[in-house]
Amino acid sequence: MSVDFRTNEEPEALGGFAQPAAPTSHRLTRGQLVRRRFFRNRGAVIGLVVIGLLVLLALFGSYLLPWQYDQRDLGQYYKPPSGRHLFGTTQAGFDVLARTVRGLGKSLVIGFMVAVIQTTLAALIGSSAAYIGGWYEKAWLWVIDLMLVLPSFFLIAVVSQGGPKGTYAWLLLVVLLAAFGWQLSARVVRSLSMSVKEREYVAAARFMGLSTPRLLVRHIVPNIASMLIVDVCLGVGYAILGEAGLSYFGYGVQAPDTSLGTLIAEGAQSTTIAPWIFLAPAGVLVLLVMSVNALGDGLRDALDPSSMSGGQA
Amino acid sequence: MVRYLLLRVANYAVLLFIAVSLAWVLAQTQLHPRQLFEVRTPPLDPRSIENILRAANVSDQVPLWDRYVTWLRGVFLHWDWGTSPGGGAVGDEIGRRIWVSFRLVTIGWLLGTVLGVALGAWSAVRQYRISDRVVTAIVLILVATPSYVTGEVTKMVATAVNKQVGFQLFLFLGEKSTGTLPGYPLAGLVDRVQHMVLPTLVLTLLGLAGLQRLQRSLMLDALGSDFVRTARAKGLRENRAVMKHALRTALIPTGTYFAFQAATLFVGATYTERIFAFQGMGIYGVDTIATQNINGIVAVTAFGGLCYLVGAILADLMVAFLDPRVRLS
């Protein structure tokens, strides 16, 4: 594979020597480069489109769909999919599509919140551990080990079993999922930050008297931003699956709230007589997680300059 | 080497002790076994409720520290992990369930590993051909599908097949039938196999999906490496270069993954246990929380933590064993 130096993002690296003139092509910015590499990946683009559609559906579904999630169609019990109810009805005559869309909304909100919180935690803890070092670093590494040893599923279930119930109980779930989700990413952030912290500009910033928190946020974290973006994206998938798994056993989102997990658990009760109640939320869950994974993989390949799968820019 | 290992084990023992203590505090403060007895009709005498709770060392009227000391004494002096609020010994229950989990997961895990590695290596060699694309697409779906969805779908398909063939070809409630078995020879074995097929299939698919992805990317790296190219340039046959040079190197990280998984499997099959009604370890953890069984969930957590650490040590040993570049001493 030939390497095109005109696309190199750091022309200064050539030490100020005049570069070979390239009259026929212009230099690409990093943004353009990443965008080209990303849009060449068909799976990732499809994933992005599907996520966009699902988010729109979750946001505006209640205005577009003929039935509301809490609206009964009396007499229409356990009806298979038809023109009247696209995904059929439940035992009590609720529209499966409307309920799936509502569950999807909650799953998406939880997924995004957890992913953003846990990646933020990972970035702050991982980079500060690498930069400060010493006992501070040892202590965090030890905490990470400690939390990895514990089976998080059971602990989250214990807390959510004993924790508060009600409308905002799902926020506790978000906190718990994030609290047990940042450890592996923090390790990766730490090892990436180790090399960044040796750079000259970090030393320069330090000697100019920049405070440690500011130095981390301004000079270290931006340099690992591509890893963090991918981490958020893949984190959404893990969080949605984690929430659904807990809800499947009744330890996640509590009634009257619904998520894809609670709907799947509900549908699993009647797979023999009314499989559509199970298949609709399960299908949407798989579709969503697949799209998020494809998007994350695509972003990684596009952002990682050493990756070959993005092709040449 | 031995010194290094001993240090690691000692470090892990301390880590595990603190982790389980934290889990103990969490369970004692978050679960409320008193509720179980207060809702009984006819109502129980508050004093007898207190006695039952104290007998299990889960009364919230005893100071937390005293309960902790009692629990520690039981575990370290008598290897007694306490009782459930109903009175059954937690240790016995776990001892029984470990083997249920073991019987459930072993075959599926081995099959999943072997097939995953084989498929991963095969699709790497055939990168971007139709066969690679098909395998990769199927694996993408499998990776995004949680085990309870795979399990339920398998059950639905099996029910349809049973209806088609007109008799119960696949069975999916527990490890074996409870009634009397038909009279033909080896009926007991056949019955067990009928029960095992579906959960094994689900576990195989799960294991296969993760490993195929891992092995494919490792194998692609190995195939692109200089030593494989050198081997080919020196005239080695394609097959031999792939098998002896690329696959061997690419198997090292898989080996550690395999060793790590071996230990963590016991508590990892919770959903499969629920769907196919196996009374294993994972489902015990879920049930103990629902039934406010503090000692039970602490013991399950301890067991899970122990499995994790044994897995970590096995993974270390596996690297040292497989990779000549690693020297521990």
Side-chain angles (χ1 to χ4, degrees):
Chain A
M1 188 181 140
S2 71
V3 179
D4 186 353
F5 280 107
R6 279 163 313 213
T7 58
N8 194 316
E9 51 177 310
E10 281 183 290
E12 303 90 281
L14 293 175
F17 290 110
Q19 286 189 54
T24 47
S25 76
H26 59 282
R27 187 181 296 151
L28 290 170
T29 64
R30 171 149 167 87
Q32 282 171 315
L33 191 71
V34 168
R35 226 168 298 142
R36 278 198 194 179
R37 286 165 66 102
F38 178 80
F39 282 107
R40 202 171 289 148
N41 185 336
R42 218 181 306 153
V45 175
I46 295 173
L48 184 65
V49 171
V50 171
I51 294 171
L53 290 177
L54 288 177
V55 169
L56 286 179
L57 188 65
L59 282 176
F60 303 112
S62 58
Y63 306 109
L64 300 173
L65 299 174
W67 299 93
Q68 296 301 310
Y69 71 93
D70 51 357
Q71 188 184 2
R72 275 176 188 214
D73 190 2
L74 293 175
Q76 299 283 313
Y77 308 126
Y78 278 147
K79 289 286 178 221
S82 64
R84 190 175 163 95
H85 296 283
L86 270 182
F87 285 176
T89 63
T90 68
Q91 182 187 17
F94 291 115
D95 184 61
V96 173
L97 176 59
R99 286 165 67 92
T100 304
V101 167
R102 186 170 150 79
L104 169 71
K106 184 60 82 190
S107 283
L108 278 171
V109 169
I110 292 178
F112 279 114
M113 283 178 74
V114 171
V116 169
I117 297 174
Q118 75 186 22
T119 302
T120 311
L121 281 175
L124 293 179
I125 294 170
S127 63
S128 65
Y131 181 68
I132 297 170
W135 279 107
Y136 180 84
E137 182 182 24
K138 281 219 172 93
W140 273 120
L141 288 177
W142 195 80
V143 170
I144 290 173
D145 273 343
L146 185 70
M147 296 191 77
L148 287 175
V149 167
L150 291 164
S152 59
F153 178 90
F154 292 134
L155 294 192
I156 296 176
V158 166
V159 178
S160 94
Q161 168 89 348
K165 303 276 184 276
T167 330
Y168 295 106
W170 63 273
L171 285 172
L172 176 70
L173 188 68
V174 169
V175 172
L176 288 171
L177 282 170
F180 280 100
W182 56 270
Q183 291 84 358
L184 288 176
S185 316
R187 272 197 193 159
V188 179
V189 170
R190 177 182 153 266
S191 58
L192 288 176
S193 308
M194 291 294 242
S195 64
V196 176
K197 99 178 195 198
E198 303 298 332
R199 300 276 177 87
E200 291 86 349
Y201 56 82
V202 174
R206 190 167 65 232
F207 295 140
M208 281 167 77
L210 214 62
S211 68
T212 304
R214 196 159 255 234
L215 199 148
L216 287 176
V217 174
R218 283 255 190 95
H219 296 279
I220 294 192
V221 172
N223 280 294
I224 48 173
S226 46
M227 176 260 158
L228 296 177
I229 293 171
V230 175
D231 193 58
V232 169
C233 195
L234 296 177
V236 172
Y238 286 123
I240 288 174
L241 282 179
E243 176 277 319
L246 283 161
S247 300
Y248 181 78
F249 281 122
Y251 297 125
V253 171
Q254 306 287 338
D257 260 342
T258 53
S259 71
L260 291 176
T262 57
L263 291 173
I264 289 170
E266 227 179 278
Q269 312 284 328
S270 55
T271 43
T272 39
I273 30 176
W276 52 88
I277 305 178
F278 168 79
L279 287 175
V284 171
L285 178 78
V286 173
L287 187 67
L288 177 60
V289 176
M290 262 180 81
S291 313
V292 174
N293 286 350
L295 177 64
D297 286 349
L299 279 175
R300 178 173 44 213
D301 291 343
L303 289 166
D304 178 4
S306 64
S307 167
M308 295 295 170
S309 42
Q312 265 181 282
Chain B
M1 173 78 190
V2 176
R3 195 183 129 75
Y4 168 83
L5 263 180
L6 284 178
L7 268 176
R8 286 239 29 188
V9 170
N11 180 29
Y12 280 156
V14 174
L15 202 65
L16 185 62
F17 174 73
I18 294 171
V20 175
S21 295
L22 285 177
W24 182 90
V25 172
L26 206 64
Q28 285 277 4
T29 50
Q30 296 291 319
L31 296 180
H32 308 288
R34 190 177 291 277
Q35 286 172 0
L36 286 178
F37 299 99
E38 281 176 344
V39 294
R40 290 259 178 97
T41 41
L44 284 172
D45 177 26
R47 252 183 318 178
S48 61
I49 294 181
E50 186 60 29
N51 285 339
I52 296 172
L53 293 179
R54 277 178 193 245
N57 190 30
V58 292
S59 165
D60 47 7
Q61 286 177 6
V62 178
L64 196 66
W65 177 251
D66 292 351
R67 272 181 276 161
Y68 184 59
V69 172
T70 313
W71 176 75
L72 279 185
R73 268 212 198 108
V75 170
F76 282 104
L77 297 183
H78 311 288
W79 197 242
D80 174 12
W81 286 83
T83 58
S84 66
V90 165
D92 296 349
E93 187 75 36
I94 286 184
R96 192 165 43 244
R97 282 171 184 265
I98 288 174
W99 297 111
V100 177
S101 287
F102 182 77
R103 287 194 293 269
L104 171 68
V105 296
T106 312
I107 301 173
W109 166 63
L110 286 175
L111 270 178
T113 309
V114 172
L115 286 176
V117 168
L119 269 179
W122 184 70
S123 55
V125 174
R126 307 176 65 88
Q127 190 186 17
Y128 298 143
R129 290 209 221 156
I130 297 287
S131 48
D132 171 45
R133 284 183 193 277
V134 170
V135 171
T136 308
I138 293 173
V139 165
L140 269 181
I141 298 175
L142 282 177
V143 165
T145 313
S147 54
Y148 40 89
V149 173
T150 323
E152 292 290 352
V153 171
T154 329
K155 239 162 98 170
M156 283 156 74
V157 173
T159 314
V161 171
N162 280 348
K163 215 176 259 172
Q164 277 297 317
V165 297
F167 67 99
Q168 295 288 310
L169 178 63
F170 297 111
L171 300 169
F172 33 73
L173 268 181
E175 273 192 277
K176 55 183 183 203
S177 302
T178 42
T180 46
L181 290 164
Y184 55 84
L186 293 179
L189 185 69
V190 172
D191 178 67
R192 272 189 185 257
V193 170
Q194 282 177 302
H195 281 90
M196 280 302 293
V197 172
L198 296 183
T200 302
L201 178 68
V202 171
L203 291 168
T204 306
L205 288 176
L206 280 178
L208 175 157
L211 266 174
Q212 192 271 351
R213 267 168 76 99
L214 179 69
Q215 193 62 52
R216 180 173 179 274
S217 70
L218 288 170
M219 190 70 180
L220 282 176
D221 286 348
L223 284 174
S225 63
D226 292 340
F227 59 84
V228 173
R229 198 176 41 202
T230 311
R232 291 280 291 126
K234 283 166 106 177
L236 211 61
R237 290 234 182 114
E238 175 82 39
N239 263 336
R240 218 174 143 71
V242 166
M243 294 304 286
K244 278 210 95 158
H245 293 252
L247 186 60
R248 259 184 142 177
T249 327
L251 273 176
I252 294 173
T254 319
T256 63
Y257 184 79
F258 177 82
F260 184 73
Q261 260 204 331
T264 51
L265 265 178
F266 287 102
V267 279
T270 312
Y271 298 103
T272 317
E273 286 172 14
R274 158 63 57 92
I275 287 170
F276 297 104
F278 273 61
Q279 296 302 312
M281 279 294 285
I283 205 67
Y284 184 57
V286 173
D287 290 343
T288 48
I289 298 169
T291 55
Q292 314 274 3
N293 182 352
I294 294 174
N295 289 322
I297 189 61
V298 172
V300 172
T301 311
F303 183 76
L306 180 70
C307 288
Y308 180 90
L309 293 180
V310 169
I313 294 172
L314 282 180
D316 280 356
L317 285 177
M318 203 67 165
V319 178
F321 177 69
L322 287 177
D323 195 340
R325 288 166 298 188
V326 174
R327 289 275 171 268
L328 292 177
S329 44

